[in-house]
Amino acid sequence: MIHVSDLTKRYAGRTAVDAISFDVGRGEIVGFLGPNGAGKSTTLRILTCFLSATEGSATVAGFDIFKKSIEVRRRVGYMPENVPLYTDMRVSEYLRFRAQIKGLGWRESRRAVDEAMDICALSEVQRKLIGTLSKGYRQRVGLADALVNKPDLLILDEPTNGLDPNQIRQVRDLIRQLGERHTILISTHILHEVEMTCGRVIIIDRGVIKASDTPQNLVRRLRAAGTVNLEVQGEPDAVLAELEKLPGITSATHHDTRQGWAAIEIRTDANIDVREEIFELAVKKQWHLRELSRRQASLEDAFVDLTNRAAAPPSES
Amino acid sequence: MRAFFILLRKELRSFFLSPLAFVLLALFVFLNGWLFSTLVEAMRSAVSSRSLIYNLFDSGWFWMGYFILFPLITMRLFAEEKKLGTLEGLFTAPVRTAEVVLAKYFATVILYVVLLLPVFGFFALFERVTGTGAAFHPGAFWGSALILLLIGLFNIAIGTFASAVTSNQLIAAMITFVGVMLHYFLGFLHQFLTTPGSIWTSTLTYFSSTEHMHTFSDGLIDTRPIVYYLSLSALLLAFTQHILDYRKWRA
């Protein structure tokens, strides 16, 4: 559906997108993930023909985005970041306008707008001025706009930005529903959203693609260390000394002792589970044990690991 | 072409569903109505060799109100969309930049014509009310209508261009006003700079809107101003289109 090769966008003195290549297949829901200013919006704007690339090429639905831009735009439903809308129009009026400008006929557009308002639960506000709507409703108007002409591909730039948790859930469910009929590319920096909705994640940082895989694989491949927490009754130093002898443990630290229980955090090598060994050790040493838990690495860890930019200079989006 | 008419409709709707068009209409009708009645009064007490139409459009008062019109009707065209960010939605829809430019331009031209209609209504009404059949000849009526349309086309093109340059409506308005006024004063330059009869004088009078108005409101249809205003308007609109497309390539 999308084929991008060596796409580069340079602004004066700054490379926003640096020779990225990726593919999105028909029917996929792909999360486009990255810190602020990583080049997500720039990439999406190039794919929707709002900006041009400095170098490289891309096709959407088989059409070159530079040479066949009108054909591409006919097949893409785009929801820009912050959802700009004409505030002086009514919801149904606006959607009607958008449907017609995207090439739907008089009658067709009426049906399409009704359907889109149905999907996005907008029917009750259809007579309201967009300027008077809350952020959540505006977001849904933007979404209805994107899907009103039933495009093959939906490109959503931070669709849940600025919504409250309930609204985020609604939009997420909506996106998952839409995934049954459309190919979707979502940009976001909310990791939870991606884990819940996307079949694949592309992580981009400072204009470079750092990873492209399923969320599960990303986590599995993650080199970041796992963490085991345990609480035992005993002399902390002695316990630590014993623990550090176990294989696969990189460090063990004692946090605090509460009523004789020592809370210890153990960092292990990648994807090694040491809980069984610790349990056997505790039995052998006759320690009392009241917590033994392993925190699995999450997509968040993968994200932080891949995009850690502590040393990077700040850049604007 | 389809997109053009959809966009045109939308632009017209936003003009006439907002107070803007009506406030301007009221203002313009009031200004020119007052000017008109003063002129009629003046022509009653003194003999004039010129027609009522010539005198009205020759008056500085008319031009003053007239030039304030253009910044007001064009400043929001693109600047507002740039500010709101809706330009992104517009240009990611399957429409050509030229269609957008022309739709906005012609919507403004239609608004302009609507704003001017009452002035010509005065003349039509005058004959009816007073019963004086020959207050002016039809050539003066249609000639001045034509040249006002042409000057309007040009000035609206300036405004459209200015609005595409910036996302600040005030700046767009000021560029338009300065542009419109500069062109207007260019037509007076020959009175100060050159000796009558020199090549400069005749060259500079080509640009003079007031000179054009004089010829046309005498009922003389000169093709040179027609070509002049139409081609300048087309040029400015082409610039506008390129300015808008330039955002894609800006580094």
Side-chain angles (χ1 to χ4, degrees), chain A residues 9-12 45 48-53 70 73-74 78 80 84-86 88-89 93 97-98 100-104, chain B residues 2-3 6-7 9-10 13-14 17 81 84-96 104 247-251:
Chain A
K9 176 75 179 179
R10 263 182 235 116
Y11 294 113
R45 282 177 168 173
T48 52
C49 309
F50 186 67
L51 296 178
S52 296
I70 294 279
R73 286 185 265 168
R74 239 189 267 285
Y78 174 48
L85 302 165
Y86 296 112
D88 57 349
M89 288 177 102
E93 182 186 36
F97 162 67
R98 294 293 296 176
Q100 285 174 358
I101 209 166
K102 289 175 182 183
L104 296 188
Chain B
R2 237 184 65 87
I6 295 162
L7 287 163
R9 229 168 63 93
K10 191 227 147 227
R13 198 209 302 255
S14 67
L17 286 187
E81 298 227 26
L84 282 173
T86 46
L87 215 56
E88 196 169 347
L90 193 55
F91 284 130
T92 50
V95 293
R96 279 167 229 286
K104 284 182 182 286
R247 69 150 203 287
K248 282 184 158 192
W249 308 98
R250 180 159 47 199

Short mmCIF file of all heavy atoms in Angstrom, two decimals, chain A residues 9-12 45 48-53 70 73-74 78 80 84-86 88-89 93 97-98 100-104, chain B residues 2-3 6-7 9-10 13-14 17 81 84-96 104 247-251:
data_model
loop_
_atom_site.label_atom_id
_atom_site.label_comp_id
_atom_site.label_asym_id
_atom_site.label_seq_id
_atom_site.Cartn_x
_atom_site.Cartn_y
_atom_site.Cartn_z
N LYS A 9 14.15 14.49 3.70
CA LYS A 9 13.65 15.86 3.69
C LYS A 9 14.62 16.71 4.48
O LYS A 9 14.87 16.46 5.66
CB LYS A 9 12.26 15.93 4.32
CG LYS A 9 11.72 17.35 4.43
CD LYS A 9 11.25 17.87 3.09
CE LYS A 9 10.68 19.27 3.21
NZ LYS A 9 10.27 19.78 1.89
N ARG A 10 15.16 17.70 3.80
CA ARG A 10 16.09 18.60 4.48
C ARG A 10 15.49 19.98 4.58
O ARG A 10 14.98 20.51 3.59
CB ARG A 10 17.41 18.67 3.72
CG ARG A 10 18.44 17.72 4.30
CD ARG A 10 19.77 17.83 3.58
NE ARG A 10 20.14 16.50 3.13
CZ ARG A 10 20.25 16.14 1.86
NH1 ARG A 10 20.07 17.01 0.92
NH2 ARG A 10 20.56 14.91 1.54
N TYR A 11 15.50 20.52 5.78
CA TYR A 11 15.20 21.94 5.93
C TYR A 11 16.53 22.65 6.07
O TYR A 11 17.55 21.99 6.26
CB TYR A 11 14.35 22.17 7.19
CG TYR A 11 12.98 21.56 7.12
CD1 TYR A 11 12.63 20.51 7.95
CD2 TYR A 11 12.03 22.04 6.22
CE1 TYR A 11 11.37 19.95 7.89
CE2 TYR A 11 10.78 21.49 6.16
CZ TYR A 11 10.44 20.45 6.99
OH TYR A 11 9.20 19.89 6.93
N ALA A 12 16.51 23.97 6.00
CA ALA A 12 17.76 24.71 6.07
C ALA A 12 18.58 24.25 7.27
O ALA A 12 18.19 24.44 8.41
CB ALA A 12 17.47 26.20 6.15
N ARG A 45 3.37 14.11 6.11
CA ARG A 45 3.01 15.21 5.20
C ARG A 45 3.55 14.97 3.80
O ARG A 45 2.96 15.40 2.82
CB ARG A 45 3.55 16.54 5.74
CG ARG A 45 2.70 17.07 6.85
CD ARG A 45 3.30 18.33 7.40
NE ARG A 45 2.34 18.99 8.28
CZ ARG A 45 2.66 20.05 9.01
NH1 ARG A 45 3.86 20.55 8.96
NH2 ARG A 45 1.75 20.60 9.77
N THR A 48 1.27 12.40 2.17
CA THR A 48 -0.04 12.92 1.78
C THR A 48 0.10 14.05 0.77
O THR A 48 -0.87 14.75 0.50
CB THR A 48 -0.80 13.45 3.00
OG1 THR A 48 0.05 14.35 3.71
CG2 THR A 48 -1.22 12.34 3.91
N CYS A 49 1.30 14.23 0.23
CA CYS A 49 1.56 15.21 -0.83
C CYS A 49 1.42 16.65 -0.36
O CYS A 49 1.23 17.55 -1.17
CB CYS A 49 0.64 15.00 -2.03
SG CYS A 49 0.64 13.33 -2.64
N PHE A 50 1.50 16.90 0.94
CA PHE A 50 1.45 18.29 1.39
C PHE A 50 2.84 18.92 1.27
O PHE A 50 2.97 20.09 0.98
CB PHE A 50 0.95 18.39 2.83
CG PHE A 50 0.75 19.81 3.30
CD1 PHE A 50 -0.24 20.58 2.74
CD2 PHE A 50 1.55 20.35 4.28
CE1 PHE A 50 -0.41 21.90 3.15
CE2 PHE A 50 1.36 21.66 4.70
CZ PHE A 50 0.38 22.43 4.13
N LEU A 51 3.87 18.10 1.49
CA LEU A 51 5.24 18.56 1.32
C LEU A 51 5.91 17.69 0.27
O LEU A 51 5.43 16.61 -0.04
CB LEU A 51 6.02 18.45 2.64
CG LEU A 51 5.55 19.30 3.80
CD1 LEU A 51 6.42 19.01 5.02
CD2 LEU A 51 5.63 20.77 3.45
N SER A 52 7.02 18.18 -0.25
CA SER A 52 7.80 17.37 -1.16
C SER A 52 9.04 16.89 -0.43
O SER A 52 9.47 17.51 0.52
CB SER A 52 8.22 18.18 -2.37
OG SER A 52 7.10 18.55 -3.09
N ALA A 53 9.60 15.81 -0.92
CA ALA A 53 10.83 15.32 -0.32
C ALA A 53 12.01 15.96 -1.04
O ALA A 53 11.89 16.42 -2.17
CB ALA A 53 10.89 13.81 -0.45
N ILE A 70 -2.52 13.80 -7.40
CA ILE A 70 -3.98 13.85 -7.29
C ILE A 70 -4.55 12.44 -7.07
O ILE A 70 -5.43 12.24 -6.23
CB ILE A 70 -4.59 14.49 -8.56
CG1 ILE A 70 -4.19 15.95 -8.67
CG2 ILE A 70 -6.10 14.33 -8.57
CD1 ILE A 70 -4.99 16.93 -7.84
N ARG A 73 -3.90 11.44 -3.53
CA ARG A 73 -4.75 12.15 -2.57
C ARG A 73 -6.18 11.64 -2.61
O ARG A 73 -6.89 11.71 -1.61
CB ARG A 73 -4.69 13.65 -2.84
CG ARG A 73 -3.38 14.25 -2.41
CD ARG A 73 -3.38 15.74 -2.58
NE ARG A 73 -2.80 16.15 -3.84
CZ ARG A 73 -2.90 17.39 -4.31
NH1 ARG A 73 -3.58 18.29 -3.64
NH2 ARG A 73 -2.34 17.72 -5.45
N ARG A 74 -6.59 11.14 -3.78
CA ARG A 74 -7.93 10.57 -3.88
C ARG A 74 -8.08 9.33 -3.00
O ARG A 74 -9.17 9.00 -2.57
CB ARG A 74 -8.18 10.15 -5.33
CG ARG A 74 -9.37 10.83 -5.97
CD ARG A 74 -9.63 10.20 -7.29
NE ARG A 74 -8.96 10.88 -8.40
CZ ARG A 74 -9.39 12.04 -8.89
NH1 ARG A 74 -10.45 12.62 -8.41
NH2 ARG A 74 -8.74 12.62 -9.87
N TYR A 78 -6.60 11.64 5.31
CA TYR A 78 -5.54 12.16 6.18
C TYR A 78 -6.15 12.99 7.29
O TYR A 78 -7.01 13.82 7.06
CB TYR A 78 -4.58 12.99 5.35
CG TYR A 78 -3.49 13.71 6.10
CD1 TYR A 78 -2.72 13.06 7.06
CD2 TYR A 78 -3.22 15.05 5.83
CE1 TYR A 78 -1.70 13.73 7.72
CE2 TYR A 78 -2.21 15.72 6.48
CZ TYR A 78 -1.45 15.05 7.42
OH TYR A 78 -0.45 15.73 8.08
N PRO A 80 -4.70 15.55 9.89
CA PRO A 80 -3.47 16.22 10.31
C PRO A 80 -3.39 16.35 11.83
O PRO A 80 -4.40 16.23 12.52
CB PRO A 80 -3.58 17.60 9.66
CG PRO A 80 -4.71 17.53 8.71
CD PRO A 80 -5.60 16.45 9.18
N PRO A 84 -6.95 20.58 12.18
CA PRO A 84 -7.48 21.89 11.78
C PRO A 84 -8.82 21.76 11.05
O PRO A 84 -8.95 20.94 10.15
CB PRO A 84 -6.40 22.42 10.83
CG PRO A 84 -5.68 21.22 10.34
CD PRO A 84 -5.77 20.19 11.40
N LEU A 85 -9.80 22.55 11.47
CA LEU A 85 -11.14 22.49 10.86
C LEU A 85 -11.64 23.92 10.66
O LEU A 85 -11.18 24.84 11.32
CB LEU A 85 -12.12 21.76 11.79
CG LEU A 85 -11.78 20.32 12.18
CD1 LEU A 85 -12.64 19.90 13.37
CD2 LEU A 85 -12.01 19.39 11.02
N TYR A 86 -12.60 24.07 9.74
CA TYR A 86 -13.23 25.38 9.57
C TYR A 86 -14.21 25.57 10.72
O TYR A 86 -15.25 24.91 10.77
CB TYR A 86 -13.96 25.47 8.24
CG TYR A 86 -13.04 25.36 7.06
CD1 TYR A 86 -13.07 24.27 6.23
CD2 TYR A 86 -12.12 26.38 6.80
CE1 TYR A 86 -12.21 24.17 5.14
CE2 TYR A 86 -11.27 26.29 5.72
CZ TYR A 86 -11.32 25.19 4.89
OH TYR A 86 -10.47 25.11 3.83
N ASP A 88 -16.21 27.88 11.42
CA ASP A 88 -17.47 28.58 11.19
C ASP A 88 -18.46 27.73 10.39
O ASP A 88 -19.46 28.23 9.90
CB ASP A 88 -17.22 29.92 10.48
CG ASP A 88 -16.48 29.73 9.17
OD1 ASP A 88 -15.99 28.61 8.93
OD2 ASP A 88 -16.38 30.69 8.39
N MET A 89 -18.16 26.43 10.26
CA MET A 89 -19.10 25.57 9.55
C MET A 89 -19.74 24.59 10.52
O MET A 89 -19.19 24.28 11.56
CB MET A 89 -18.37 24.78 8.45
CG MET A 89 -17.95 25.62 7.27
SD MET A 89 -17.03 24.63 6.07
CE MET A 89 -18.27 24.35 4.84
N GLU A 93 -22.33 20.06 7.49
CA GLU A 93 -22.01 20.92 6.36
C GLU A 93 -20.53 20.77 5.97
O GLU A 93 -20.18 20.64 4.80
CB GLU A 93 -22.29 22.36 6.80
CG GLU A 93 -22.09 23.43 5.80
CD GLU A 93 -22.27 24.80 6.44
OE1 GLU A 93 -21.89 24.98 7.61
OE2 GLU A 93 -22.79 25.69 5.78
N PHE A 97 -18.99 19.16 2.55
CA PHE A 97 -18.02 19.88 1.73
C PHE A 97 -16.80 19.00 1.45
O PHE A 97 -16.33 18.89 0.31
CB PHE A 97 -17.63 21.18 2.43
CG PHE A 97 -16.36 21.81 1.94
CD1 PHE A 97 -16.28 22.34 0.66
CD2 PHE A 97 -15.25 21.88 2.76
CE1 PHE A 97 -15.11 22.92 0.21
CE2 PHE A 97 -14.07 22.46 2.32
CZ PHE A 97 -14.00 22.98 1.04
N ARG A 98 -16.30 18.37 2.50
CA ARG A 98 -15.11 17.54 2.34
C ARG A 98 -15.37 16.34 1.44
O ARG A 98 -14.54 15.97 0.63
CB ARG A 98 -14.61 17.07 3.71
CG ARG A 98 -14.10 18.19 4.59
CD ARG A 98 -12.87 18.83 4.08
NE ARG A 98 -11.75 17.91 4.06
CZ ARG A 98 -10.54 18.18 3.58
NH1 ARG A 98 -10.31 19.37 3.07
NH2 ARG A 98 -9.59 17.29 3.59
N GLN A 100 -17.54 16.14 -0.94
CA GLN A 100 -17.68 16.57 -2.34
C GLN A 100 -16.34 16.94 -2.95
O GLN A 100 -16.06 16.63 -4.11
CB GLN A 100 -18.64 17.75 -2.42
CG GLN A 100 -20.07 17.29 -2.25
CD GLN A 100 -21.04 18.44 -2.19
OE1 GLN A 100 -20.66 19.59 -2.23
NE2 GLN A 100 -22.31 18.12 -2.07
N ILE A 101 -15.50 17.57 -2.13
CA ILE A 101 -14.22 17.99 -2.68
C ILE A 101 -13.33 16.78 -2.94
O ILE A 101 -12.42 16.81 -3.75
CB ILE A 101 -13.55 19.00 -1.73
CG1 ILE A 101 -12.67 19.93 -2.54
CG2 ILE A 101 -12.71 18.34 -0.69
CD1 ILE A 101 -12.25 21.10 -1.77
N LYS A 102 -13.63 15.69 -2.23
CA LYS A 102 -12.88 14.46 -2.47
C LYS A 102 -13.47 13.66 -3.62
O LYS A 102 -13.08 12.52 -3.86
CB LYS A 102 -12.83 13.61 -1.20
CG LYS A 102 -11.94 14.22 -0.12
CD LYS A 102 -12.00 13.44 1.16
CE LYS A 102 -11.14 14.11 2.21
NZ LYS A 102 -11.11 13.34 3.46
N GLY A 103 -14.46 14.25 -4.28
CA GLY A 103 -14.93 13.65 -5.52
C GLY A 103 -16.25 12.90 -5.44
O GLY A 103 -16.67 12.31 -6.41
N LEU A 104 -16.90 12.93 -4.28
CA LEU A 104 -18.19 12.25 -4.20
C LEU A 104 -19.28 13.15 -4.79
O LEU A 104 -19.24 14.37 -4.65
CB LEU A 104 -18.55 11.92 -2.75
CG LEU A 104 -17.62 10.94 -2.03
CD1 LEU A 104 -18.19 10.55 -0.68
CD2 LEU A 104 -17.38 9.69 -2.86
N ARG B 2 -14.81 20.63 -11.30
CA ARG B 2 -15.79 20.29 -10.28
C ARG B 2 -15.39 20.88 -8.93
O ARG B 2 -16.19 21.53 -8.26
CB ARG B 2 -15.86 18.78 -10.15
CG ARG B 2 -17.20 18.16 -10.36
CD ARG B 2 -17.09 16.67 -10.12
NE ARG B 2 -16.75 16.42 -8.72
CZ ARG B 2 -17.66 16.32 -7.76
NH1 ARG B 2 -18.93 16.42 -8.05
NH2 ARG B 2 -17.31 16.11 -6.50
N ALA B 3 -14.12 20.65 -8.59
CA ALA B 3 -13.62 21.14 -7.31
C ALA B 3 -13.73 22.67 -7.24
O ALA B 3 -14.02 23.23 -6.19
CB ALA B 3 -12.18 20.70 -7.10
N ILE B 6 -17.23 23.64 -6.18
CA ILE B 6 -17.48 23.30 -4.78
C ILE B 6 -16.78 24.30 -3.87
O ILE B 6 -17.35 24.80 -2.89
CB ILE B 6 -16.99 21.87 -4.49
CG1 ILE B 6 -17.81 20.86 -5.30
CG2 ILE B 6 -17.09 21.55 -3.01
CD1 ILE B 6 -17.16 19.52 -5.44
N LEU B 7 -15.54 24.63 -4.22
CA LEU B 7 -14.77 25.59 -3.43
C LEU B 7 -15.38 26.99 -3.51
O LEU B 7 -15.44 27.71 -2.52
CB LEU B 7 -13.32 25.62 -3.89
CG LEU B 7 -12.49 24.40 -3.51
CD1 LEU B 7 -11.22 24.34 -4.33
CD2 LEU B 7 -12.15 24.44 -2.03
N ARG B 9 -18.47 27.77 -4.01
CA ARG B 9 -19.68 27.78 -3.20
C ARG B 9 -19.34 27.95 -1.71
O ARG B 9 -19.96 28.71 -0.99
CB ARG B 9 -20.43 26.45 -3.38
CG ARG B 9 -21.90 26.60 -3.68
CD ARG B 9 -22.43 25.26 -4.13
NE ARG B 9 -22.32 24.26 -3.06
CZ ARG B 9 -23.29 23.98 -2.19
NH1 ARG B 9 -24.43 24.60 -2.27
NH2 ARG B 9 -23.12 23.08 -1.26
N LYS B 10 -18.32 27.23 -1.30
CA LYS B 10 -17.92 27.28 0.09
C LYS B 10 -17.41 28.67 0.46
O LYS B 10 -17.73 29.20 1.52
CB LYS B 10 -16.83 26.24 0.34
CG LYS B 10 -16.53 26.03 1.78
CD LYS B 10 -15.04 26.04 2.06
CE LYS B 10 -14.78 26.62 3.41
NZ LYS B 10 -13.72 27.60 3.43
N ARG B 13 -20.27 31.09 0.60
CA ARG B 13 -21.05 30.86 1.80
C ARG B 13 -20.38 31.51 3.00
O ARG B 13 -21.03 32.14 3.83
CB ARG B 13 -21.18 29.35 2.03
CG ARG B 13 -22.29 28.99 2.98
CD ARG B 13 -21.98 27.73 3.71
NE ARG B 13 -21.76 26.60 2.82
CZ ARG B 13 -22.66 25.63 2.64
NH1 ARG B 13 -23.81 25.68 3.23
NH2 ARG B 13 -22.36 24.61 1.88
N SER B 14 -19.04 31.38 3.08
CA SER B 14 -18.39 31.95 4.25
C SER B 14 -18.40 33.48 4.19
O SER B 14 -18.36 34.14 5.22
CB SER B 14 -16.99 31.39 4.45
OG SER B 14 -16.14 31.79 3.41
N LEU B 17 -22.46 34.22 4.90
CA LEU B 17 -23.02 33.76 6.18
C LEU B 17 -22.33 34.43 7.36
O LEU B 17 -22.69 34.24 8.50
CB LEU B 17 -22.91 32.24 6.32
CG LEU B 17 -23.89 31.44 5.47
CD1 LEU B 17 -23.81 29.96 5.83
CD2 LEU B 17 -25.31 31.93 5.66
N GLU B 81 -6.59 30.54 6.50
CA GLU B 81 -6.40 29.09 6.39
C GLU B 81 -5.01 28.68 6.83
O GLU B 81 -4.82 27.60 7.41
CB GLU B 81 -6.63 28.64 4.95
CG GLU B 81 -8.04 28.91 4.48
CD GLU B 81 -8.64 27.69 3.78
OE1 GLU B 81 -8.22 26.57 4.06
OE2 GLU B 81 -9.55 27.91 2.96
N LEU B 84 -5.14 28.86 10.71
CA LEU B 84 -5.91 27.75 11.28
C LEU B 84 -5.28 26.39 10.99
O LEU B 84 -5.54 25.42 11.69
CB LEU B 84 -7.34 27.75 10.71
CG LEU B 84 -8.35 28.73 11.26
CD1 LEU B 84 -9.63 28.67 10.45
CD2 LEU B 84 -8.64 28.43 12.72
N GLY B 85 -4.48 26.32 9.94
CA GLY B 85 -3.89 25.05 9.54
C GLY B 85 -4.76 24.27 8.58
O GLY B 85 -4.42 23.16 8.19
N THR B 86 -5.89 24.87 8.19
CA THR B 86 -6.81 24.13 7.31
C THR B 86 -6.27 23.99 5.89
O THR B 86 -6.79 23.20 5.12
CB THR B 86 -8.19 24.82 7.25
OG1 THR B 86 -7.98 26.21 7.06
CG2 THR B 86 -8.95 24.61 8.52
N LEU B 87 -5.23 24.76 5.60
CA LEU B 87 -4.61 24.63 4.28
C LEU B 87 -4.11 23.20 4.07
O LEU B 87 -4.13 22.68 2.95
CB LEU B 87 -3.44 25.61 4.18
CG LEU B 87 -3.19 26.27 2.84
CD1 LEU B 87 -4.42 26.99 2.34
CD2 LEU B 87 -2.02 27.22 2.94
N GLU B 88 -3.69 22.58 5.16
CA GLU B 88 -3.17 21.21 5.08
C GLU B 88 -4.27 20.24 4.65
O GLU B 88 -4.06 19.39 3.80
CB GLU B 88 -2.61 20.81 6.44
CG GLU B 88 -1.74 19.60 6.39
CD GLU B 88 -0.98 19.36 7.69
OE1 GLU B 88 -0.94 20.28 8.55
OE2 GLU B 88 -0.44 18.27 7.85
N GLY B 89 -5.45 20.42 5.23
CA GLY B 89 -6.57 19.58 4.83
C GLY B 89 -6.97 19.84 3.39
O GLY B 89 -7.28 18.92 2.64
N LEU B 90 -6.93 21.11 3.01
CA LEU B 90 -7.34 21.51 1.67
C LEU B 90 -6.40 20.93 0.62
O LEU B 90 -6.84 20.37 -0.39
CB LEU B 90 -7.34 23.04 1.59
CG LEU B 90 -8.03 23.67 0.41
CD1 LEU B 90 -9.45 23.19 0.30
CD2 LEU B 90 -7.99 25.18 0.54
N PHE B 91 -5.11 21.03 0.85
CA PHE B 91 -4.16 20.59 -0.17
C PHE B 91 -3.83 19.11 -0.09
O PHE B 91 -3.07 18.61 -0.92
CB PHE B 91 -2.89 21.45 -0.11
CG PHE B 91 -3.09 22.81 -0.71
CD1 PHE B 91 -2.72 23.95 -0.02
CD2 PHE B 91 -3.68 22.95 -1.96
CE1 PHE B 91 -2.91 25.20 -0.57
CE2 PHE B 91 -3.88 24.20 -2.50
CZ PHE B 91 -3.49 25.33 -1.81
N THR B 92 -4.36 18.41 0.90
CA THR B 92 -4.20 16.96 0.88
C THR B 92 -5.47 16.31 0.32
O THR B 92 -5.55 15.10 0.20
CB THR B 92 -3.89 16.39 2.27
OG1 THR B 92 -4.83 16.91 3.19
CG2 THR B 92 -2.50 16.77 2.71
N ALA B 93 -6.46 17.14 -0.02
CA ALA B 93 -7.62 16.65 -0.76
C ALA B 93 -7.25 16.71 -2.25
O ALA B 93 -6.36 17.47 -2.63
CB ALA B 93 -8.83 17.53 -0.47
N PRO B 94 -7.92 15.89 -3.06
CA PRO B 94 -7.55 15.87 -4.47
C PRO B 94 -8.00 17.12 -5.24
O PRO B 94 -8.90 17.06 -6.07
CB PRO B 94 -8.23 14.61 -5.01
CG PRO B 94 -9.33 14.33 -4.06
CD PRO B 94 -8.92 14.88 -2.75
N VAL B 95 -7.41 18.26 -4.91
CA VAL B 95 -7.70 19.50 -5.65
C VAL B 95 -6.39 20.11 -6.13
O VAL B 95 -5.36 19.95 -5.49
CB VAL B 95 -8.43 20.55 -4.78
CG1 VAL B 95 -9.79 20.08 -4.41
CG2 VAL B 95 -7.62 20.89 -3.54
N ARG B 96 -6.46 20.79 -7.26
CA ARG B 96 -5.27 21.46 -7.78
C ARG B 96 -5.16 22.84 -7.13
O ARG B 96 -6.18 23.47 -6.84
CB ARG B 96 -5.38 21.61 -9.29
CG ARG B 96 -5.00 20.36 -10.03
CD ARG B 96 -5.41 20.44 -11.49
NE ARG B 96 -6.12 19.23 -11.86
CZ ARG B 96 -5.54 18.06 -12.04
NH1 ARG B 96 -4.24 17.95 -11.88
NH2 ARG B 96 -6.23 16.98 -12.36
N LYS B 104 -11.16 30.98 -4.78
CA LYS B 104 -11.13 32.05 -3.80
C LYS B 104 -11.18 33.41 -4.49
O LYS B 104 -11.86 34.33 -4.04
CB LYS B 104 -9.87 31.93 -2.92
CG LYS B 104 -9.98 30.84 -1.88
CD LYS B 104 -8.75 30.78 -1.02
CE LYS B 104 -8.82 29.67 0.00
NZ LYS B 104 -9.73 29.97 1.11
N ARG B 247 5.55 26.18 -0.57
CA ARG B 247 5.63 25.61 0.78
C ARG B 247 6.18 24.18 0.74
O ARG B 247 6.86 23.75 1.64
CB ARG B 247 4.25 25.61 1.45
CG ARG B 247 3.33 24.64 0.79
CD ARG B 247 2.28 24.02 1.63
NE ARG B 247 1.90 22.77 1.00
CZ ARG B 247 1.18 22.69 -0.11
NH1 ARG B 247 0.70 23.76 -0.68
NH2 ARG B 247 0.92 21.53 -0.65
N LYS B 248 5.87 23.47 -0.35
CA LYS B 248 6.32 22.09 -0.48
C LYS B 248 7.84 21.98 -0.50
O LYS B 248 8.40 21.04 0.01
CB LYS B 248 5.83 21.51 -1.81
CG LYS B 248 4.39 21.11 -1.83
CD LYS B 248 4.11 20.48 -3.17
CE LYS B 248 2.90 19.59 -3.13
NZ LYS B 248 2.82 18.78 -4.34
N TRP B 249 8.45 22.95 -1.14
CA TRP B 249 9.89 22.83 -1.41
C TRP B 249 10.72 23.61 -0.42
O TRP B 249 11.93 23.48 -0.40
CB TRP B 249 10.19 23.35 -2.82
CG TRP B 249 9.32 22.70 -3.82
CD1 TRP B 249 8.18 23.19 -4.35
CD2 TRP B 249 9.48 21.39 -4.36
NE1 TRP B 249 7.63 22.29 -5.19
CE2 TRP B 249 8.40 21.17 -5.23
CE3 TRP B 249 10.44 20.39 -4.19
CZ2 TRP B 249 8.25 19.99 -5.93
CZ3 TRP B 249 10.29 19.22 -4.89
CH2 TRP B 249 9.21 19.03 -5.75
N ARG B 250 10.06 24.45 0.35
CA ARG B 250 10.81 25.35 1.24
C ARG B 250 11.73 24.54 2.15
O ARG B 250 11.32 23.58 2.77
CB ARG B 250 9.86 26.19 2.07
CG ARG B 250 10.61 27.12 3.00
CD ARG B 250 9.75 28.26 3.43
NE ARG B 250 8.44 27.80 3.87
CZ ARG B 250 7.38 28.60 3.95
NH1 ARG B 250 7.49 29.85 3.63
NH2 ARG B 250 6.25 28.12 4.36
N ALA B 251 12.94 24.96 2.22
CA ALA B 251 13.88 24.25 3.07
C ALA B 251 14.02 24.94 4.41
O ALA B 251 13.69 26.10 4.52
CB ALA B 251 15.24 24.15 2.40
#
